[in-house]
Amino acid sequence: MDDDLRQECPRQKLRAVSQALRVFRESGPNEMTPVLEAMTDALTQRFPRARYMPMDLHTFVRIFVATHFPEWLYDLLYVPKPS
């Protein structure tokens, strides 16, 4: 990483973001049944929906916040503070 970027993004913040991504990756259901059911519905319905979102409410809200609100709000809610 070059010096300018290193000054803008201190190591503690990088660790916090990295940890948050790790937690996000490891959270969520291990069960694939909702995905398989959505795929089956999409393939077998006479008039399938345009979009299927087989996810729990927590994941839906987190993705919604990440894509529709400012980054600082997502960071405040989901990125752990450096210890």
Side-chain angles (χ1 to χ4, degrees):
M1 180 179 331
D2 67 10
D3 290 334
D4 291 337
L5 187 56
R6 188 174 293 125
Q7 288 175 359
E8 285 182 35
C9 199
R11 187 174 299 271
Q12 287 179 330
K13 185 169 182 174
L14 284 175
R15 282 192 188 126
V17 171
S18 177
Q19 178 63 21
L21 290 173
R22 228 178 265 114
V23 169
F24 184 67
R25 181 189 68 210
E26 293 168 2
S27 67
N30 292 329
E31 182 63 38
M32 292 298 295
T33 303
V35 175
L36 296 174
E37 289 173 352
M39 291 173 68
T40 302
D41 285 348
L43 294 170
T44 59
Q45 296 298 315
R46 182 171 179 172
F47 300 105
R49 296 185 308 207
R51 288 175 189 79
Y52 291 81
M53 295 187 298
M55 64 183 81
D56 61 1
L57 181 61
H58 177 266
T59 304
F60 178 80
V61 169
R62 188 170 182 164
I63 292 171
F64 188 84
V65 170
T67 57
H68 291 84
F69 288 92
E71 290 177 19
W72 66 265
L73 182 60
Y74 181 87
D75 291 347
L76 180 70
L77 296 173
Y78 297 108
V79 176
K81 307 296 179 257
S83 47

